[in-house]
């Protein structure tokens, strides 16, 4: 199994630098994101290009998980938020609705109280299930339960 890791900075193509960072790792049945906010639209556009490069030719396994670890901030501009909606919509060709999406969002993360409901509504509108937890241990436990439902954790 090949592990593939990409960073949005490798796919930033505008005169303005991305604010924030997203690193993506494809490891078998898990796509893991390290997300550091706040974000601007350049970040989200670079993220869309990064995902296209990562998933080009990828055939998703029957059961897989996306796992996001949020750091520093969930804040973003309205323009970037709308761009992320478009990335979610274009991702439908790669991700079936049955994929489990887990976000690890610390309770004290900047913007959590304001932005998390907006991000959740965005996922719901796109038809993606989203589970939010506060600790990496909770997130890893959910990943294992989803990928190995018959194995006690």
């Amino acid at each position: 199994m090949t592990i593939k890791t990409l960073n949005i900075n490798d796919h930033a193509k505008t005169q303005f630098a991305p604010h924030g960072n997203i690193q993506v790792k494809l490891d078998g049945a898990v796509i893991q994101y390290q997300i550091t906010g706040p974000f601007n639209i350049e970040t989200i556009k670079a993220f869309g290009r990064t995902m296209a490069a990562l998933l080009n030719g990828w055939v998703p396994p029957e059961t897989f998980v996306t796992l996001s670890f949020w750091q520093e901030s969930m804040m973003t501009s309205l323009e970037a938020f709308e761009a992320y909606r478009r990335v979610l919509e274009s991702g439908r060709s790669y991700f079936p609705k049955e994929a489990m999406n887990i976000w690890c969002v610390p309770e004290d993360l900047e913007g959590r109280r304001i932005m998390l409901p907006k991000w959740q509504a965005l996922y719901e509108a796109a038809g993606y299930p989203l589970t939010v937890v506060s600790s990496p241990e909770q997130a890893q436990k959910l990943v294992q339960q989803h990928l190995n439902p018959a194995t006690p954790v």
Side-chain angles (χ1 to χ4, degrees), residues 2-8 10-11 22-34 46-60 64-67 94-95:
T2 302
I3 298 174
K4 219 171 156 181
T5 303
L6 296 176
N7 189 294
I8 64 154
D10 301 330
H11 298 273
I22 305 172
Q23 182 174 309
V24 187
K25 180 169 74 173
L26 176 58
D27 184 0
V30 179
I31 300 173
Q32 182 175 307
Y33 305 92
Q34 294 291 334
F47 174 66
R49 289 188 294 273
T50 301
M51 291 305 296
L54 183 74
L55 301 177
N56 185 25
W58 179 67
V59 177
F64 73 97
V65 174
T66 71
L67 174 60
Y94 299 109
F95 298 117

Side-chain angles (χ1 to χ4, degrees), residues 111-153:
R112 184 183 204 270
R113 183 182 56 79
I114 297 166
M115 293 302 298
L116 183 57
K118 296 177 188 303
W119 290 109
Q120 288 171 310
L122 193 66
Y123 268 69
E124 184 177 331
Y128 289 107
L130 178 61
T131 301
V132 178
V133 297
S134 300
S135 76
E137 297 79 19
Q138 291 171 312
Q140 292 295 343
K141 183 177 180 181
L142 285 173
V143 168
Q144 291 308 312
Q145 287 174 343
H146 187 69
L147 294 179
N148 305 303
T151 305
V153 178

Side-chain angles (χ1 to χ4, degrees), residues 10-126:
D10 301 330
H11 298 273
K13 295 182 177 180
T14 64
Q15 69 185 47
F16 299 107
H19 297 165
N21 192 30
I22 305 172
Q23 182 174 309
V24 187
K25 180 169 74 173
L26 176 58
D27 184 0
V30 179
I31 300 173
Q32 182 175 307
Y33 305 92
Q34 294 291 334
I35 304 170
T36 305
F39 312 106
N40 62 1
I41 191 163
E42 288 78 16
T43 304
I44 302 304
K45 287 180 176 180
F47 174 66
R49 289 188 294 273
T50 301
M51 291 305 296
L54 183 74
L55 301 177
N56 185 25
W58 179 67
V59 177
E62 187 173 321
T63 302
F64 73 97
V65 174
T66 71
L67 174 60
S68 301
F69 293 98
W70 286 77
Q71 305 171 110
E72 294 187 29
S73 177
M74 292 190 97
M75 300 302 288
T76 190
S77 68
L78 291 175
E79 182 183 42
F81 194 75
E82 176 60 24
Y84 189 76
R85 183 190 60 74
R86 291 190 300 274
V87 169
L88 277 180
E89 288 173 356
S90 68
R92 181 57 69 210
S93 62
Y94 299 109
F95 298 117
K97 289 185 179 185
E98 297 75 31
M100 181 172 203
N101 301 286
I102 302 167
W103 282 14
C104 180
V105 183
E107 294 289 337
D108 62 349
L109 187 73
E110 178 187 60
R112 184 183 204 270
R113 183 182 56 79
I114 297 166
M115 293 302 298
L116 183 57
K118 296 177 188 303
W119 290 109
Q120 288 171 310
L122 193 66
Y123 268 69
E124 184 177 331

